[in-house]
């Protein structure tokens, strides 16, 4: 019904920047909250940042001041600008979305396939 496709991951040196993008497609009436999560090796998946349809944002303490989440509602896209990256930011980053898929208010929540971010010199 709904697909989320991430892009923009890669290898970056400590102190560098990356910009992740996630595009939603499929049966979409409204996208409510869009989020970025990450999962490092041997760790649980954690919320990095979230943004509502009204553009209210929420960040994990570990990324505040370094990461910025934004969205383009007409394009059903969410971005994560990551600055001042450290080795602790190395993880697979996943996009998630809460979507209303029809006029009856039926909801879909799902994940993208993930994109690897590696911070290393």
């Amino acid at each position: 019904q709904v697909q989320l496709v991430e892009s923009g991951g890669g290898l970056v040196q400590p102190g560098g920047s990356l910009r992740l993008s996630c595009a939603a497609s499929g049966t979409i009436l409204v996208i409510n909250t869009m989020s970025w999560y990450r999962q490092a090796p041997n760790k649980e998946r954690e919320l990095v940042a979230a943004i509502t349809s009204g553009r209210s944002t929420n960040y994990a303490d570990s990324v505040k001041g370094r990461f910025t989440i934004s969205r383009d509602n007409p394009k059903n896209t969410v971005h994560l600008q990551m600055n001042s990256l450290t080795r602790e930011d190395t993880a697979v980053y996943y996009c998630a979305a809460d979507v209303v898929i029809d006029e009856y208010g039926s909801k879909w929540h799902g994940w993208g396939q993930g994109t690897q971010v590696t911070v290393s010199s």
Side-chain angles (χ1 to χ4, degrees):
Q1 290 175 321
V2 180
Q3 297 80 40
L4 301 175
V5 178
E6 300 106 334
S7 61
L11 174 64
V12 63
Q13 292 186 345
S17 299
L18 279 177
R19 186 173 189 249
L20 305 183
S21 296
C22 172
S25 62
T27 307
I28 298 171
L29 194 61
V30 174
I31 302 180
N32 292 323
T33 300
M34 301 187 82
S35 309
W36 287 97
Y37 287 74
R38 66 186 181 187
Q39 187 166 19
N42 301 316
K43 292 189 177 181
E44 294 186 354
R45 191 172 297 188
E46 63 173 355
L47 176 67
V48 175
I51 184 167
T52 68
S53 57
R55 295 185 170 81
S56 294
T57 58
N58 180 42
Y59 294 93
D61 287 343
S62 59
V63 307
K64 283 181 181 177
R66 301 188 298 122
F67 290 11
T68 302
I69 189 170
S70 62
R71 64 189 285 171
D72 184 337
N73 287 337
K75 295 183 179 180
N76 292 332
T77 301
V78 63
H79 306 286
L80 185 68
Q81 178 66 43
M82 305 186 294
N83 299 328
S84 302
L85 286 161
T86 73
R87 290 178 175 82
E88 288 68 39
D89 295 315
T90 296
V92 178
Y93 284 70
Y94 297 91
C95 172
D98 295 306
V99 182
V100 177
I101 60 173
D102 61 30
E103 64 271 25
Y104 304 106
S106 301
K107 296 181 180 179
W108 177 92
H109 174 80
W111 303 84
Q113 81 285 356
T115 186
Q116 177 70 46
V117 172
T118 302
V119 184
S120 175
S121 55

